[in-house]
Amino acid sequence: MKMATYSVLSGSVALITLQNPPVNALSEAVRTGITDAVQRTLKDPQVTSVVICGQNGRFCGGADIREFAGPMSGPPLVPMIHALEAMEKPVVAAIEGLALGGGLELALGCHYRIAHSQALLGLPEVTLGLLPAAGGSQRLPRLIGLPAALDLITTGRHISASEALKLGIVDQVTDDNALKMAVEFARSVVGQPLGPRRLSTRPCHSPPDVDSVLDQALAQVWQRGRGALAPVACVGALRAAATLPYAQGMEKERELMATLFNSGQARALQYAFFSQRVVGKWQPSGARWDNSTTRTIRKAAVIGLGTMGRGIVVALALAGVSVVAVESQEKQLAAARQMVPEMLQRGAGRRGLDTPPGVISFSSGLEDVSEVELVIEAVFEDMALKRRIFSRLATVCRPGTVLCSNTSGLDIDQLAEATQNPALVVGMHFFAPAHVMKLLEVVCGPRSSPEAVATAMVLGKRMGKVSVAVGNCPGFVGNRMLKPYMEQANFLLEEGATPQQVDEALEGFGFPMGVFRMSDLSGLDVGWRVRKEAGLTEQGVEPTRMRQGQRYSPLPDQMCEGGRLGQKTGRGWYRYDGPGGRVARSDPWVQNFLETYRARHGLVPRRIATEEILERCLYALTNEGFNILQDGVAAGPEDIDVIYVFGYGWPRHRGGPMFHAGQVGLARVLEKLEHYQHSHPDVPHLKPSSLLRRLVAAGSPPVQKWREFISKDRVHSQL
Ligand SMILES: CCCCCCCCCCCCC[C@H](O)CC(=O)SCCNC(=O)CCNC(=O)[C@H](O)C(C)(C)COP(=O)(O)OP(=O)(O)OC[C@H]1O[C@@H](n2cnc3c(N)ncnc32)[C@H](O)[C@@H]1OP(=O)(O)O
């Protein structure tokens, strides 16, 4: 039952308990319960103090985000919190577990706050495209000062109880029972003046250079936010707190919230929040996360200690897994012996640990992995080499060992074939640097068992990754969609655009890096190797622009042939100060190269609008997303969107490519794809996906309904 209960302890302390599992969010029923409880407290002369707590050791996770999608009803938060603050009986918040968003705002309306040492506190509204609009933007700076409030509110970060104590957000922290302590505390402060405890009546302590502090904060959120509106509104609300009386500040808070509440960005960020939770629950095979058994991995091996392998070793060790790190090349092994402990120490430091929890041993031979429960092979992308390793592992490892390959697109089933037990083989596609990047694609081959997949998913989560289960196809989800995106970018260069122009358009959309800067960073030879394997490359004075029956741009191959591999060679689509340089400068050589190329192929350059760049790159990518959904390689649009947000820099405030398509309007995306396909009939990736057509024909249901639509569609087509 969702509600807030009222009881009286020892005849004089009223206890209001929020009950809305799992995080006691402030739903309509809970707000009604609190409002009623406040009235009862006021009327009961026996009650001299009040304690508010949350059921099951969790104070409150904030407003009920699910209610934001519909019309809001029930008692609003702001007057409810004001009523608490205005009480003439001391009100104490007993903060166990978490006090986030509206939960912390509720606590800030109390006169005192007692927290358990393990509790987390914060105002994460900005991450949902909102601001703390239940008085948080006005009360917090009055409590802890403007600079600290700016930091907490514009980042939305969670803080520990001890940091909250240092900042002055809580009055006491305990390792014991916080509720018991709050009740004792409430009794002890009866009769003390409450005026100074009401944050709304306090002045806001701002530094003398308040304007420049706020301007700097604004500049920072602009730069960091890549077009996100909420952080800017947060600074606006804090400016009001610093410069206006409380009542006017509250008015400003309300106004700013009104601009955000129904915005596309807020919808996108809230969708991203729920998508992240959805992806942990389903697998493309249809197996459910909660009905597959998983193995707890204590000891694992990593084979291959290049950049990826080293990162994976560190991520495992930080998750408390003991690792046997294997490398056959002496030089690489020596480098790993030196670099891994340093990386580990830094990683442990970032997590506030003195020593990393997992133990690492290095080896040059595969025989040393015989005792592990799971192996992650991370040698370079060569199917023959990987197959050799897998067949060796099948003989060296104990029966039942889960065998994983870190691959960015190779066929997992071909690797499984090389073993005696293909059910135990899964893909784990890490993103570089593997100990930092949050995304992990867990690739289920047609013969992978639900247990092996679930084990990899859970291990990924332990490593702090957002694990997404995907099906087995070239490039899986992320790289399969990247191909048409990059292809369009190359075609745009042929037609008259420059790398800067394309990158600026994409960065203006919100990507941290455009496609060409990204390609320079990861190395142009990565894609070159894949194209060579696919038999697409050809060398010659005039390489053709058609391969395997479709349009092909040899531009990136020619760059590689000329030794322009990106940052590592100091030259790529941009020039750098030297090999390994980071600052990209436009390169007249590239301009000249493109002009010569166009002239040689009789291509007349034209001015290309930003709109066309975005539409062609992004809709080609999204179109492939629809094909992926149709093929069942991703379980739902949420999975694709999470992959793009966490692995490919898609701006979170735009939800992800599939969500974005829904926001633009599916009919419009279809119309644009048809338009570009008409002008480029030799580009199959611009041919609208039949799933997209069917969704449009069905009236463009919202993205949350696509899973259902696709499964019905599948049943229908099987009849
Ligand atoms: C013109 C119109 C003008 C309109 C003006 C309108 C004014 C409206 C006034 C509003 C006032 C604003 C009030 C306030 O400032 C706004 C907020 O409080 S926003 C919410 C802030 N809180 C958060 O962001 C916390 C979000 N949650 C988390 O970060 C995590 O869930 C957690 C709390 C840290 C717990 O993490 P875990 O233990 O890992 O658990 P899960 O994450 O898996 O969550 C479990 C389960 O709970 C669901 N859930 C979590 N938080 C909420 C929530 N706040 N509301 C609803 N549901 C929540 C989560 O989705 C999981 O669900 P499941 O997947 O199991 O179904």
Side-chain angles (χ1 to χ4, degrees), residues 127-129 260-275 641 645 650-656 659-660 663 703-704:
T127 64
L128 299 169
L260 298 175
F261 196 68
N262 288 320
S263 67
Q265 291 197 3
R267 296 265 176 269
L269 286 159
Q270 287 158 34
Y271 163 82
F273 173 84
F274 288 117
S275 297
D641 287 336
V645 167
W650 187 281
R652 193 176 164 94
H653 62 266
R654 291 189 189 267
F659 179 86
H660 182 65
Q663 263 191 336
V703 66
Q704 291 84 354

Side-chain angles (χ1 to χ4, degrees), residues 280-283 286-294 454:
K281 301 190 178 172
W282 296 93
Q283 299 164 11
R288 279 173 58 120
W289 67 285
D290 53 357
N291 68 8
S292 326
T293 41
T294 57

Side-chain angles (χ1 to χ4, degrees), residues 108-244:
L108 292 173
C110 298
H111 305 120
Y112 300 93
R113 287 156 291 280
I114 308 292
H116 187 263
S117 53
Q118 296 300 313
L120 288 177
L121 297 90
L123 292 174
E125 285 86 344
V126 70
T127 64
L128 299 169
L130 304 173
L131 57 83
S137 74
Q138 305 303 301
R139 285 197 179 89
L140 188 67
R142 286 176 160 79
L143 180 62
I144 64 173
L146 182 67
L150 271 168
D151 167 39
L152 290 191
I153 291 177
T154 61
T155 63
R157 72 186 177 90
H158 297 177
I159 58 169
S160 64
S162 67
E163 186 174 353
L165 183 67
K166 269 189 218 133
L167 286 170
I169 296 179
V170 297
D171 301 287
Q172 282 184 26
V173 171
T174 176
D175 289 326
D176 297 331
N177 187 325
L179 176 56
K180 200 164 154 243
M181 183 159 171
V183 171
E184 282 160 19
F185 187 92
R187 279 207 192 95
S188 73
V189 290
V190 172
Q192 289 190 15
L194 290 173
R197 304 299 309 177
R198 295 189 178 109
L199 300 180
S200 66
T201 63
R202 287 194 192 175
C204 179
H205 291 294
S206 302
D209 55 344
V210 57
D211 281 331
S212 98
V213 169
L214 285 160
D215 291 347
Q216 257 179 34
L218 194 59
Q220 201 180 31
V221 299
W222 266 118
Q223 203 222 345
R224 232 178 15 208
R226 300 193 263 139
L229 300 172
V232 176
C234 286
V235 176
L238 284 155
R239 192 182 289 276
T243 55
L244 298 173

Side-chain angles (χ1 to χ4, degrees), residues 48-65:
T48 53
S49 62
V50 185
V51 169
I52 303 191
C53 69
Q55 194 191 32
N56 294 335
R58 289 185 137 183
F59 181 69
C60 176
D64 190 333
I65 309 165

Side-chain angles (χ1 to χ4, degrees), residues 384-529:
L385 173 65
K386 283 183 187 265
R387 276 179 64 97
R388 274 201 301 282
I389 292 174
F390 269 72
S391 74
R392 215 21 242 298
L393 287 172
T395 57
V396 170
C397 296
R398 289 188 304 203
T401 307
V402 179
L403 303 181
C404 311
S405 175
N406 171 56
T407 167
S408 58
L410 293 181
D411 183 356
I412 292 303
D413 205 37
Q414 274 195 47
L415 293 175
E417 243 171 42
T419 70
Q420 278 125 22
N421 195 349
L424 291 174
V425 177
V426 289
M428 284 182 103
H429 178 202
F430 288 87
F431 289 71
H435 58 305
V436 176
M437 288 287 286
K438 292 282 281 180
L439 180 65
L440 175 68
E441 281 184 327
V442 171
V443 188
C444 322
R447 289 180 277 176
S448 310
S449 67
E451 187 184 1
V453 171
T455 301
M457 291 287 284
V458 170
L459 181 63
K461 194 168 180 192
R462 261 174 83 195
M463 285 194 254
K465 308 288 176 204
V466 177
S467 312
V468 185
V470 299
N472 185 35
C473 68
F476 314 133
V477 169
N479 286 346
R480 174 167 160 187
M481 290 170 70
L482 200 63
K483 191 170 171 230
Y485 167 79
M486 295 184 78
E487 189 184 82
Q488 285 303 314
N490 292 330
F491 294 160
L492 287 160
L493 295 190
E494 291 187 338
E495 292 166 37
T498 62
Q500 296 91 292
Q501 198 192 347
V502 174
D503 282 352
E504 273 164 24
L506 294 167
E507 286 160 22
F509 179 78
F511 281 97
M513 261 186 221
V515 57
F516 293 108
R517 286 216 293 142
M518 176 51 87
S519 184
D520 273 1
L521 175 69
S522 41
L524 272 70
D525 49 333
V526 178
W528 195 29
R529 210 175 302 130

Side-chain angles (χ1 to χ4, degrees), residues 577-591:
D577 289 338
R582 297 276 152 147
V583 183
R585 294 179 217 287
S586 90
D587 192 345
W589 184 94
V590 173
Q591 191 59 29

